[in-house]
Amino acid sequence: MDAKKTELGVAPVESPRPGSLLDTDNKPVVNELVEKYGQTQRGLKPRHVQLMAIGGSIGTALWVGIGGYLSQAGPLSLLLGYTFWGIFFIWPTYLCVAEMMAYLPVRGSIFELASRFVEPAVGFSLGWTYFFGTCMLVCVEYSAVAAVAEYWDSTSNPAVWIAVSMVICIFLNVVAVKWYGEAEFILAITKVLLILLVLITIITMAGGNPKGDTYGFRNWKDGAMHEYYAKGPAGKFLS
């Protein structure tokens, strides 16, 4: 196993240098360095990190973008699309990443793995692609804020809501990390509660209400799959 990891470029674990912060046997030197240069402090608690991971998996498209796809493709097409994409693309991808990280736990995430297992150029390209995609995601998030705010206030300029959201985000990123963690914690809990609300709504739509009315499936008889790009069954498949 060690020989295999050496071939992949993983350096063996070495003893800390004398006098370094990892050298716990030389405490006077360590204390002197800490007093002179300071040290980083862990401001995020486990509950912050856990809720950030859970909340990060619940994207904006689940609340904002899904409405347009639902009206355009139909409920059955939307359900099949999410199911197909999740089972055949998202799930295998995460399984592969988890297996590689368990076998080779190195810093650098998927970019480092792509460089080691495929080609350094692939890791380089993947890193810049991820950076570009993240920048575009920020723009999408701000646009979603403006779209939601426009539903309640159609008279104000969308730029106002975008500017307000930008100021709040920048403020939370420049203050102490514990306040950023608390904000993420509260927002993630809100997402989880909304997911529970959606599940309760699905139960009531499926007939779990006092009247036993399955009102959630009224449009599935004739409009479960809409035509898109073409007419007939091919258009329903493309939706």
Side-chain angles (χ1 to χ4, degrees):
M1 181 66 71
D2 294 337
K4 184 65 176 178
K5 290 187 176 182
T6 303
E7 294 177 2
L8 293 172
V10 181
V13 179
E14 300 178 354
S15 302
R17 300 190 311 273
S20 66
L21 293 178
L22 299 178
D23 185 12
T24 55
D25 296 332
N26 197 350
K27 292 183 179 180
V29 176
V30 173
N31 294 334
E32 181 182 352
L33 292 174
V34 170
E35 183 178 355
K36 182 177 181 180
Y37 298 104
Q39 61 181 348
T40 57
Q41 298 181 0
R42 181 177 298 176
L44 294 178
K45 299 179 180 179
R47 62 182 178 90
H48 295 150
V49 179
Q50 293 171 0
L51 265 297
M52 287 170 62
I54 296 174
S57 62
I58 306 174
T60 309
L62 184 61
W63 312 111
V64 181
I66 196 173
Y69 302 134
L70 178 62
S71 62
Q72 188 178 61
L76 181 57
S77 298
L78 185 66
L79 178 61
L80 293 176
Y82 270 84
T83 303
F84 180 83
W85 184 260
I87 293 177
F88 294 102
F89 290 92
I90 303 299
W91 186 43
T93 300
Y94 276 88
L95 285 179
C96 293
V97 173
E99 185 175 354
M100 287 188 291
M101 290 301 298
Y103 169 68
L104 199 65
V106 295
R107 291 180 295 180
S109 186
I110 56 177
F111 320 117
E112 183 66 22
L113 295 176
S115 299
R116 292 175 182 268
F117 286 102
V118 185
E119 173 71 25
V122 176
F124 176 83
S125 303
L126 185 62
W128 279 106
T129 303
Y130 188 83
F131 171 77
F132 178 77
T134 304
C135 292
M136 295 299 101
L137 179 62
V138 173
C139 301
V140 172
E141 297 285 351
Y142 289 143
S143 300
V145 171
V148 174
E150 189 176 5
Y151 176 81
W152 304 102
D153 183 14
S154 59
T155 58
S156 300
N157 194 320
V160 175
W161 298 107
I162 294 177
V164 171
S165 59
M166 289 180 64
V167 170
I168 295 175
C169 289
I170 294 174
F171 175 76
L172 291 176
N173 280 273
V174 298
V175 296
V177 68
K178 66 177 182 179
W179 298 114
Y180 172 81
E182 291 296 339
E184 286 283 352
F185 180 77
I186 296 173
L187 294 175
I189 287 181
T190 304
K191 287 184 177 182
V192 174
L193 293 177
L194 289 175
I195 289 291
L196 295 177
L197 180 61
V198 169
L199 294 178
I200 295 174
T201 305
I202 292 176
I203 294 175
T204 60
M205 293 172 63
N209 53 74
K211 295 184 178 181
D213 183 17
T214 56
Y215 63 91
F217 295 90
R218 291 175 183 172
N219 298 325
W220 282 59
K221 295 181 180 179
D222 300 325
M225 300 181 71
H226 298 169
E227 296 177 350
Y228 192 63
Y229 284 123
K231 298 293 184 179
K236 294 182 178 181
F237 176 78
L238 292 175
S239 65

